[in-house]
Amino acid sequence: MKVVATSRTEQGSGASRRLRRAGQVPGIVYGGNSQAAAIAIEHNPLWHALQKEKFHSSILDLEIDGKAEKAVLRDYQMHPYKQQILHMDFQRVDPTQKVHMLVPLHYSGHLESPAVKLYAGQVTFVANQIEVECLPADLPEFIAVDCSTLDITKRSIHVTDLQLPAGVSIPNHGQDDLSLVTVKIKNAAAKAAGDE
């Protein structure tokens, strides 16, 4: 996805307010081997881009004054009650250096799983995104989670159960094998299944 920006020299809250009144969003791009640069981006195309899930977890083509570079969205601030973006933070990426990004989880198959169809289980999705580590070229748009195997004996799906794309890993950060999906089955159904 492409983001077109212009560099800006004026900084401070007064300059930011003037930019916003002119339909622009102040931002900053940092990282890599270059100095941090203050930028301005047209609000409305940026607003529409932010509504797309892919924008939050993709390597972006950030064009500043006609010069393109690769970057990722690191943070953004929204107005508390208006549909207005107040500020954007982008980080440059090096194609040879691994990045850490939050990637959406797309769940499927839970309604067809034995836990739901046979035992009327209630499925709970514990997480809707997960941090991955990979080279920029390997960054997935999302990670699919197949829940069709949920059953009376397999009532959860953990991080280690994920089928990750090539070149993608999940940093541990010293945590246990986190549960992503759980299913709760009423005791009567579970007991009946155990008696069979």
Side-chain angles (χ1 to χ4, degrees):
M1 299 184 78
K2 187 175 183 179
V3 178
V4 179
T6 55
S7 56
R8 60 186 172 98
T9 53
E10 288 188 356
Q11 295 189 36
S13 56
S16 294
R17 278 195 297 272
R18 285 191 294 277
L19 269 177
R20 292 183 194 112
R21 280 197 298 270
Q24 300 280 308
V25 178
I28 190 165
V29 58
Y30 57 87
N33 298 322
S34 304
Q35 293 286 335
I39 58 174
I41 310 157
E42 191 177 341
H43 183 274
N44 289 347
L46 191 58
W47 171 264
H48 291 295
L50 272 176
Q51 308 313 305
K52 297 176 182 165
E53 181 183 73
K54 184 178 180 180
F55 187 77
H56 298 260
S57 60
S58 296
I59 305 298
L60 306 170
D61 293 313
L62 182 61
E63 184 182 299
I64 305 171
D65 298 333
K67 182 184 173 190
E69 51 189 326
K70 300 288 187 185
V72 293
L73 174 63
R74 277 303 180 202
D75 197 12
Y76 64 97
Q77 288 82 46
M78 299 292 296
H79 193 280
Y81 57 88
K82 293 182 187 175
Q83 289 189 342
Q84 183 182 22
I85 308 163
L86 299 179
H87 195 272
M88 301 290 293
D89 290 12
F90 296 95
Q91 181 182 356
R92 298 180 188 96
V93 295
D94 181 337
T96 63
Q97 298 291 320
K98 289 187 174 183
V99 294
H100 287 247
M101 289 289 291
L102 288 171
V103 172
L105 295 169
H106 284 191
Y107 296 100
S108 64
H110 54 283
L111 296 177
E112 295 80 33
S113 71
V116 172
K117 285 188 86 168
L118 299 179
Y119 305 107
Q122 182 178 1
V123 178
T124 302
F125 303 112
V126 180
N128 58 11
Q129 58 185 6
I130 193 165
E131 183 184 357
V132 300
E133 180 183 29
C134 61
L135 290 172
D138 296 330
L139 183 65
E141 186 178 329
F142 63 87
I143 292 180
V145 184
D146 180 12
C147 302
S148 63
T149 58
L150 291 170
D151 202 345
I152 195 80
T153 55
K154 181 178 171 50
R155 298 191 194 184
S156 60
I157 295 174
H158 294 84
V159 170
T160 53
D161 297 324
L162 294 177
Q163 298 291 318
L164 298 174
V168 177
S169 63
I170 294 178
N172 187 310
H173 297 306
Q175 298 169 332
D176 294 329
D177 188 14
L178 296 176
S179 178
L180 302 174
V181 184
T182 60
V183 63
K184 184 176 182 182
I185 296 172
K186 290 182 180 175
N187 287 339
K191 187 174 185 304
D195 292 342
E196 289 174 2

